[in-house]
Each structure stands twice: as structure tokens, then as C-alpha cells.
Amino acid sequence: MTRVRLAVAIVLSAVTLSACAIQVGGQAVPGPMPSTASASAPTLPKAGQCMNAYELKVLQCTDSHEAEVMSVGEMTGLPSAYPDTQVLRKAALPPCRQTLSEYLGSGDADSTRLRVWAFWPNEQGWKDGQRWRLCTVVEISPDEKPLARKGSVKEILKGNGFSTFQTCTQGSPSKDQEVKVVACNTAHLAEAVPAGVVSLGKSSDPAPSKEQMNSIANEKCTKAVHDYLGSSKRTDVFPAWRNPGSQAWSEGWTNAVCYAEATKAFNGTLLGIRDNPLPN
């Protein structure tokens, strides 16, 4: 029996990155760091299998679980001595991020509460010669913890699944460094929009400047938000977006995420609101 020792990391949330909109910008905010654990399993789980967020025991996807395996790979080109956390994150997270949209069936993944949760060997496993990388996807609750759920999320965004996992925020994506994710059926100030994930480059390339990111995001986010609203004339709802900070960029978060942001909190949805009053 192979003893598998692991560490786990969650990719930075879209709502804990630096903020900017047409009017303002912000600074990068550090995201949650990995926690370390150890576990035993005869083999690593395979793509399409389900498990919980801190152990490698395979669970039926039809039963309650927290994580779903998207891919299993190897980390190469790293030193024989156990790398520090930042090096491990930079090695493990970008390929997991690349897998996310393909697995979920849409480029809208970063606009949702479906996030990458990556595993790799801990220090003892590394000494034993393990170099595996396990990429899973989890649904995140408003308090940024993995939610237990039933059923597979494979290609879940290819159909009508976006609204089920859509990101809504209590604070202002355009003004606040940190904004709290809330359920979209409760009072909120902004909604991430479909077709509102804007590629800014590759993590292997230098990150663009804030001005360059804003220039790329401006036109695309404005169109995505106006299409979402069904109107380009509103003054109480405007396009906003969140850009990655330098740490997030190096870990594969290379997209801006577009939001429809209102001037005051509302209930309901902005989808197709056109020129009607904000929902209460």
C-alpha cells in the first residue's frame, strides 16, 4: 500500500484580488495559504472521482462530498529538497487553473463559486520521491469554505448551471480591496456576469500593468454587463471588474472578472432588468 502524504491549496478567490473599475483601482490582497495534512490511500483518486477537501478517500459523486478530481499530473523541474510554499503553489496551481474551464464546460468558471483546490505531497512525501499534483474543483460557501454537495460538476456550466454557482458580492468590486461573497438570493451590491471573464495573458509572462489590465477589461466588461442588463443607459448600475494581483498572477489567475455593480444594495437579479427599477 502506498502511503500518500499531501498538502492542499485553494486558488485565490476572484473577490479577494485587487479591485478596479472604470473609476478606481486597488492593491492586491493576499489570499488564503495552503494547509498541510497527511493521509493514506492505496492510490491517488482519478479524474472524475469525488472526495472531501482534506483527504484522498474516494467517495461516490452521488453521495455527499466536497471536491471532484479534474486531473492528476506530475510536478517537474523542482529541487530535490522540499520547496517552499510559494514555489509549490506556482508549480501546482497554473495547470489546475487551465483545467478548470475545460472541466466545467465554460470559460465563465471564474465568475462562479466553483474554485480550484489543489493537492501535492507534503515534506515527508517529497522525501519519499512523490511529485504528484492533484487538481480538484470545490464549491465555495460565502465564508470561503468548501461546501458539501451531491452530483458531479463536470460540464455543469455548459448548460444552465451558471446561475446556480454565480458569484454575488455584499461589497463593492470597484472600490473595496476585499468583498464578501453572499448568496445571490440575498441582498447584494454586485453580480459577476456570464461572458465576463477576460483573459489578460499567461502566468508564464510578466503581469501587465494595472493600466494595461484596465484597458483590456474595460471594453469587454462594459459589453458583457450591458448585454447582461439588456441596457446601456442605466446610471444606477455600471460595469466593474476585479484584476489579479502579482501573487495571483504567478499562480495562474490571469483573468479579470466582470461585475454588474449597483449604486445601492438590492435583492433579486439584474439579469435582463433593462430600464426597470432595481429589484427589492
Side-chain angles (χ1 to χ4, degrees):
M1 178 179 292
T2 301
R3 183 171 179 82
V4 180
R5 299 178 182 272
L6 61 100
V8 57
I10 181 171
V11 169
L12 293 171
S13 162
V15 296
T16 60
L17 307 179
S18 65
C20 69
I22 295 173
Q23 307 97 323
V24 296
Q27 298 298 314
V29 179
M33 299 301 290
S35 59
T36 301
S38 62
S40 297
T43 58
L44 289 170
K46 297 179 175 60
Q49 293 183 323
C50 293
M51 49 189 272
N52 281 328
Y54 293 101
E55 58 182 347
L56 300 180
K57 180 182 177 181
V58 174
L59 303 173
Q60 294 296 320
C61 292
T62 51
D63 295 335
S64 180
H65 63 276
E66 296 167 340
E68 183 170 340
V69 181
M70 299 186 294
S71 66
V72 183
E74 294 287 325
M75 295 190 291
T76 60
L78 295 178
S80 56
Y82 195 60
D84 63 30
T85 298
Q86 188 174 11
V87 171
L88 287 165
R89 287 174 68 92
K90 287 181 179 180
L93 296 179
C96 291
R97 292 269 305 137
Q98 292 175 9
T99 303
L100 184 65
S101 293
E102 179 181 349
Y103 194 83
L104 298 179
S106 169
D108 287 333
D110 286 347
S111 294
T112 72
R113 292 178 291 99
L114 295 170
R115 310 282 169 77
V116 164
W117 192 274
F119 296 80
W120 54 75
N122 67 4
E123 187 168 3
Q124 183 58 54
W126 199 267
K127 289 179 180 178
D128 294 341
Q130 298 177 19
R131 297 293 186 272
W132 51 267
R133 178 194 69 244
L134 192 68
C135 301
T136 77
V137 55
V138 299
E139 179 184 356
I140 292 298
S141 67
D143 59 359
E144 295 289 318
K145 295 180 180 178
L147 278 173
R149 65 181 317 278
K150 294 182 179 180
S152 173
V153 294
K154 184 173 177 60
E155 299 188 341
I156 193 73
L157 300 182
K158 184 175 284 187
N160 299 318
F162 178 82
S163 61
T164 302
F165 302 101
Q166 182 179 17
T167 297
C168 291
T169 71
Q170 188 178 70
S172 167
S174 67
K175 298 176 183 178
D176 299 339
Q177 281 197 330
E178 293 186 69
V179 288
K180 180 177 175 57
V181 173
V182 294
C184 292
N185 60 359
T186 62
H188 55 283
L189 196 67
E191 301 175 355
V193 300
V197 176
V198 182
S199 175
L200 301 172
K202 298 179 179 179
S203 60
S204 56
D205 296 330
S209 67
K210 183 175 69 175
E211 291 74 21
Q212 289 172 322
M213 289 184 185
N214 289 344
S215 177
I216 296 169
N218 188 355
E219 180 179 355
K220 294 182 178 179
C221 286
T222 298
K223 182 181 186 305
V225 169
H226 289 167
D227 288 348
Y228 183 73
L229 301 175
S231 172
S232 60
K233 301 177 182 179
R234 300 189 71 99
T235 59
D236 58 348
V237 181
F238 59 92
W241 54 89
R242 306 282 284 184
N243 286 335
S246 58
Q247 178 184 337
W249 183 274
S250 70
E251 295 173 358
W253 194 289
T254 57
N255 298 324
V257 178
C258 308
Y259 289 81
E261 180 175 340
T263 55
K264 64 179 182 179
F266 60 92
N267 289 284
T269 179
L270 298 176
L271 176 61
I273 191 174
R274 299 185 182 275
D275 298 315
N276 295 311
L278 289 174
N280 292 315

